Amino acid sequence: MKWYQVVGLTVMVLVTTLFIRIPVAGGGYFNLGDTMIVFTGLYAGRKVGLIAGGVGSAIADLIGFPLFAPITLIVKGVEGYLCGLGHKTSKPFEYLMPAVAVLVMVCGYFAGSALFPSLGIAVALTDLPINLIQAAVGYIGGRAIFLAFDRFVLPLT
């Protein structure tokens, strides 16, 4: 994959993260960025998923919730990497890895909120249902985008 394709996918994660932002209790926000992270990992692989997921989401946090940007860089990067493990694999693995990835994202944000001194366990518990919904939307939406590209668009090389 060319560097400019990686930049393009990173910008797409950034834009989808910023497109719809619904504030939640901890000061963060519900967003659709996970749809693009799931798609990017499945479409372009683990390295691009790591970069686009981590960097694109962290830049969005720098714009909207800078306190969480370092945690987002790690959590969303790992999410993208795990989704990328489903790239060009068997169908069961292609479905399983994004599911594992979005659950790891939920756990990462739960731990990040719970351990953050100004937030704590109460905020982590309050944000948990929203993060689970975001994970489900990200999984379903990302898989749908991937299936559409896999069927109707030539693969990037």
Side-chain angles (χ1 to χ4, degrees):
M1 187 163 254
K2 307 274 193 267
W3 68 268
Y4 51 84
Q5 293 169 318
V6 176
V7 170
L9 289 167
T10 302
V11 169
M12 289 173 65
V13 170
L14 168 65
V15 170
T16 55
T17 302
L18 293 174
F19 182 65
I20 294 176
R21 295 189 321 181
I22 301 169
V24 297
Y29 50 90
F30 172 88
N31 65 78
L32 299 176
D34 295 291
T35 60
M36 196 51 60
I37 294 171
V38 169
F39 165 74
T40 297
L42 288 173
Y43 190 63
R46 63 185 188 272
K47 291 178 187 175
V48 178
L50 172 77
I51 294 166
V55 174
S57 299
I59 292 171
D61 266 6
L62 287 173
I63 294 168
F65 190 41
L67 187 67
F68 239 67
I71 293 168
T72 294
L73 177 67
I74 295 165
V75 170
K76 298 289 186 155
V78 169
E79 179 186 7
Y81 184 88
L82 291 172
C83 286
L85 292 176
H87 174 68
K88 293 187 179 179
T89 60
S90 66
K91 285 292 180 191
F93 211 56
E94 183 184 291
Y95 281 85
L96 176 64
M97 289 317 300
V100 169
V102 296
L103 290 175
V104 166
M105 178 272 296
V106 170
C107 293
Y109 275 122
F110 183 85
S113 294
L115 298 173
F116 214 89
S118 62
L119 299 176
I121 192 76
V123 170
L125 287 170
T126 302
D127 287 352
L128 184 60
I130 298 297
N131 286 334
L132 287 168
I133 293 168
Q134 181 171 308
V137 170
Y139 178 83
I140 294 166
R143 291 273 321 141
I145 295 167
F146 174 72
L147 291 172
F149 263 71
D150 192 43
R151 181 168 207 158
F152 298 114
V153 179
L154 293 174
L156 293 175
T157 55

